[in-house]
Amino acid sequence: MKLAPQSVPYRALQKAAGTAVALFVIVNSGGFGLPIAVGGGAAILLAAFAYEVAYYRRFEYELTEDTLDISSGVISRREREIPYRRIQNVDVSRGVVQRAIGVAAVDLETAGGSSTEGSIRFVTPDEATRLQREVQRRKSGAGRRDEGDEAAATGTADRDAVEGGRDDAFAPKEEVLFAISPSELALVGALSFDGRLIGLLAFLSSGSFPVLSGFLPETSAAALTATAIVGVAVLFIASWLIGAGVAFSNYYGFRLSRAGDELRYERGLFRRYSGSIPTEKVQTLRITDNPAKRALGYASLSIETAGYAPGQGGDSGNQSAVPIAATDRVYRLAHEIESFGSPEFSRPPKRIRWRYAVRYALIVGLLTGIAYGVNWYVSPSLPWYGVAALLLAVPPAAHLKWKHRGYWIGEDHLLTRNGFWSRTVAVVPYYRIQNVIDSRTVFQRRWGVATIVADTAGTGSLTGSDAAAVDFEIDEAEALRETLTERLAIAVAERRQSESDSFEWLDDDGSERAAEIDETVGEVGADETVGEVGADAEPDEPTGDGPEIPDDGVVRPDFSPSDRDYSEPAERIDTGEYAVDQNPSDADVAHGPNAGGDRDRSGAESEREGGNDDNDESDDADSRD
């Protein structure tokens, strides 16, 4: 498959625009004249167009049975085969210009990747959506189900008719979970703050970049202080406006929906993003808020996956599931993804508040010393001692830090809570934990406390934001570590067991199951595969020499005499509610509880039919005589 033809001039303009403008400025300022500058820019643009034509001709991608293959490169060829199982997210993005010319970019995020593994720039929007859906469908194993259904339908339906109705039959129904309202979008902007401008100003005024020194007025200390206060206020207002604009642009038209086993989202004003998050790839849920959001009763929800998330900037691996909504609604949506119950957090010991108070007091002392140094070096009349007034805020700050920390052990999940100005509740399923870490700093050992970290495959392990129970008594921390280790082992064992038992035959209503099989798989191998389970027999009583039925109604095959390599999965027909193994010869017993009796009856019927044939032959012989 090829790229969209209109991507050629667009990519050429992207590559040549910056170089052409720089060349124009250099040539024109050097006195070479406008014609030479224009000619040089045109030559660069023509060269870029020729390169993009060659790139377009040599770029191909293909969806194979197990991988997405991408071939690219003009001078240096690159062949990539990306297995579907490694793909975490498939993101589609469209800028303003891209929407105008009808193209879209497709980015593939893989597990553990620090950047986008594969990029397809650019295809038509319809092709981008088709590629996104097809990759997710093949990831979830729908491709194998389709092949089984196609094989089952052979001989009973035309192949083209099967293929035509396949997508409709297996396309998951999309359910909208969250759509941002105008009031919520306005609230997102109002509660957003971008501190990059403050950081830039701090750098410019630090002396490392002496730009502001010439603008400082030579006046009294009072006027200088008033000017500084006004400047700081203007700076904060400007940072708030920038943050509001960025948040409004990022989350405009935000929409989250569920389709089968994946979450789908759309967002963006100037650059439109759409992507999918497979639920089986979710590592951690994070519910975040701050004092302003808590006062208004709002919170945010983000989903952490393993790897890099296209379009997320510095929040690698974090997908915003709900930018902002009422706290109760956020928790309901979080339960839709991971059902973790109602948490009751255990807090660190109360004495640990003194540790936080000492820490904050030292920080205030350091700031006071810096203020004194500035006062001594710049202006002796500055009230440096005013910084020491922050000591009054140390006790409540220490209490609030302690109050908003804790952990909770649920039936299937670990929940941790940390932070006051930016509080985060992390939800981690036990089977997602990679390692349980007992961490103790020098200062923690002096206070007799420890931190337990639940390390996952998400990017939180790289950024130090993994779920953690911080500053708990050593005995409690060690008990928590042992509990998490045990829960992890149990959860992994149960998950493996559920996967291995997912294709067991449960005896509900044999005749109804047989009818479903006839309708679903077109009676392909029905006699051999399921032995017409329960066609005439009572479900609770074995007939003939059939197998003994356990109390749970499940007859498990004996695979011991088989030569089959069970490291490879069996080919199965998925009927939607249960699956049928297409390799019945792997077992010496039937897959259904009454299949043995049915097989005996089938054999008896065959013998009777054979007997009837013999009688017919005898009658013919008599008539000939």
Side-chain angles (χ1 to χ4, degrees):
M1 290 176 279
K2 305 292 292 183
L3 301 175
Q6 58 267 43
S7 66
V8 174
Y10 179 70
R11 288 175 58 92
L13 287 172
Q14 275 188 319
K15 287 183 178 298
T19 306
V21 170
L23 180 64
F24 177 84
V25 173
I26 293 173
V27 173
N28 191 39
S29 62
F32 295 100
L34 182 62
I36 296 178
V38 173
I44 293 175
L45 182 60
L46 184 62
F49 185 81
Y51 177 85
E52 291 303 329
V53 169
Y55 183 86
Y56 170 80
R57 294 174 61 88
R58 293 178 66 84
F59 189 100
E60 293 181 350
Y61 63 94
E62 180 183 4
L63 292 167
T64 66
E65 183 178 355
D66 300 315
T67 61
L68 170 61
D69 299 344
I70 301 177
S71 301
S72 62
V74 177
I75 300 174
S76 177
R77 294 289 293 168
R78 184 181 183 187
E79 306 286 341
R80 280 164 291 173
E81 294 183 356
I82 307 175
Y84 297 131
R85 65 180 182 275
R86 290 188 61 237
I87 297 176
Q88 298 283 329
N89 301 328
V90 182
D91 277 38
V92 177
S93 60
R94 302 177 65 197
V96 176
V97 178
Q98 294 166 7
R99 292 202 297 268
I101 65 175
V103 296
V106 179
D107 294 310
L108 305 171
E109 174 212 342
T110 57
S114 59
S115 61
T116 301
E117 178 71 19
S119 296
I120 302 178
R121 286 176 164 74
F122 296 89
V123 294
T124 62
D126 292 341
E127 172 62 14
T129 301
R130 187 198 71 83
L131 187 61
Q132 184 183 55
R133 298 291 184 260
E134 186 68 14
V135 169
Q136 293 300 336
R137 185 180 69 85
R138 297 190 181 220
K139 263 181 59 64
S140 62
R144 291 192 298 270
R145 293 198 298 269
D146 289 347
E147 293 170 4
D149 293 331
E150 182 176 328
T154 302
T156 62
D158 184 78
R159 180 175 179 177
D160 293 336
V162 173
E163 292 180 350
R166 180 182 303 159
D167 292 338
D168 295 336
F170 288 96
K173 182 180 179 181
E174 189 167 340
E175 175 190 3
V176 177
L177 299 179
F178 177 81
I180 194 167
S181 64
S183 60
E184 289 170 334
L185 182 61
L187 193 59
V188 169
L191 296 179
S192 298
F193 185 85
D194 194 330
R196 287 176 290 185
L197 187 60
I198 297 177
L200 176 62
L201 184 63
F203 171 72
L204 294 178
S205 59
S206 63
S208 302
F209 197 79
V211 173
L212 299 180
S213 57
F215 296 94
L216 295 177
E218 296 182 0
T219 182
S220 64
L224 186 61
T225 302
T227 302
I229 293 175
V230 173
V232 170
V234 172
L235 184 64
F236 270 86
I237 293 174
S239 299
W240 173 71
L241 291 175
I242 292 174
V246 171
F248 183 88
S249 174
N250 284 340
Y251 297 116
Y252 178 84
F254 188 95
R255 180 175 178 270
L256 179 71
S257 60
R258 180 196 293 274
D261 58 353
E262 69 179 20
L263 302 173
R264 297 174 181 174
Y265 67 90
E266 297 178 6
R267 65 177 180 86
L269 176 61
F270 300 109
R271 187 171 186 85
R272 191 72 180 167
Y273 287 96
S274 65
S276 56
I277 309 171
T279 53
E280 72 272 10
K281 300 299 182 182
V282 174
Q283 301 292 323
T284 305
L285 299 181
R286 298 187 185 277
I287 302 171
T288 59
D289 56 31
N290 54 40
K293 288 182 180 180
R294 288 197 294 272
L296 297 173
Y298 285 89
S300 303
L301 173 66
S302 62
I303 299 175
E304 182 180 294
T305 58
Y308 168 77
Q312 295 300 311
D315 299 330
S316 299
N318 286 306
Q319 303 281 354
S320 180
V322 178
I324 193 168
T327 303
D328 293 342
R329 188 180 180 190
V330 168
Y331 272 93
R332 287 198 303 269
L333 290 173
H335 279 91
E336 289 282 341
I337 304 171
E338 292 286 349
S339 181
F340 51 83
S342 300
E344 296 180 0
F345 292 98
S346 299
R347 294 192 179 100
K350 292 183 178 181
R351 65 181 180 84
I352 208 65
R353 290 179 293 186
W354 287 102
R355 177 174 183 248
Y356 302 150
V358 171
R359 180 191 302 176
Y360 292 150
L362 290 175
I363 294 175
V364 173
L366 179 61
L367 292 177
T368 303
I370 294 175
Y372 177 78
V374 172
N375 173 75
W376 177 77
Y377 183 75
V378 178
S379 176
S381 58
L382 288 178
W384 60 270
Y385 46 84
V387 180
L390 293 175
L391 288 172
L392 298 175
V394 167
H399 174 76
L400 291 174
K401 189 178 186 66
W402 167 83
K403 181 180 179 180
H404 291 275
R405 273 189 168 166
Y407 74 91
W408 179 69
I409 293 292
E411 183 177 354
D412 300 308
H413 300 79
L414 166 70
L415 273 70
T416 63
R417 182 180 64 186
N418 289 287
F420 170 73
W421 296 107
S422 180
R423 187 177 67 176
T424 300
V425 176
V427 182
V428 183
Y430 292 134
Y431 69 90
R432 288 298 185 192
I433 298 177
Q434 301 287 321
N435 190 20
V436 181
I437 303 172
D438 186 337
S439 173
R440 306 177 192 180
T441 65
V442 175
F443 300 103
Q444 283 181 315
R445 289 197 294 269
R446 291 179 61 88
W447 285 85
V449 294
T451 296
I452 301 299
V453 179
D455 185 29
T456 66
T459 53
S461 60
L462 302 177
T463 60
S465 58
D466 267 324
V470 184
D471 290 337
F472 283 86
E473 298 282 4
I474 291 180
D475 294 341
E476 185 177 0
E478 291 178 348
L480 175 60
R481 182 190 60 189
E482 294 176 0
T483 301
L484 290 179
T485 303
E486 293 174 359
R487 297 285 181 97
L488 170 60
I490 295 173
V492 171
E494 289 178 349
R495 189 170 180 83
R496 290 175 178 174
Q497 183 65 28
S498 64
E499 291 176 353
S500 63
D501 293 345
S502 59
F503 293 100
E504 290 181 350
W505 190 289
L506 298 178
D507 184 23
D508 241 347
D509 184 347
S511 59
E512 184 177 349
R513 291 289 178 89
E516 290 177 355
I517 295 170
D518 292 342
E519 295 175 2
T520 308
V521 303
E523 300 179 304
V524 174
D527 294 340
E528 296 85 3
T529 306
V530 298
E532 299 179 358
V533 177
D536 297 314
E538 292 295 328
D540 296 329
E541 297 180 5
T543 60
D545 296 328
E548 183 179 357
I549 305 174
D551 294 337
D552 58 0
V554 178
V555 177
R556 295 171 175 82
D558 179 15
F559 296 115
S560 57
S562 173
D563 295 331
R564 176 181 161 195
D565 181 9
Y566 286 95
S567 63
E568 297 295 332
E571 185 179 4
R572 295 181 173 91
I573 298 175
D574 193 345
T575 64
E577 297 181 354
Y578 58 94
V580 179
D581 193 342
Q582 288 187 318
N583 298 288
S585 60
D586 292 340
D588 287 342
V589 299
H591 288 262
N594 301 313
D598 291 339
R599 186 171 62 251
D600 294 340
R601 286 195 299 276
S602 298
E605 291 174 359
S606 300
E607 292 176 359
R608 287 197 299 271
E609 291 176 358
N612 292 336
D613 293 340
D614 294 339
N615 293 336
D616 292 341
E617 292 177 0
S618 300
D619 294 341
D620 293 340
D622 293 338
S623 62
R624 284 196 299 271
D625 293 338

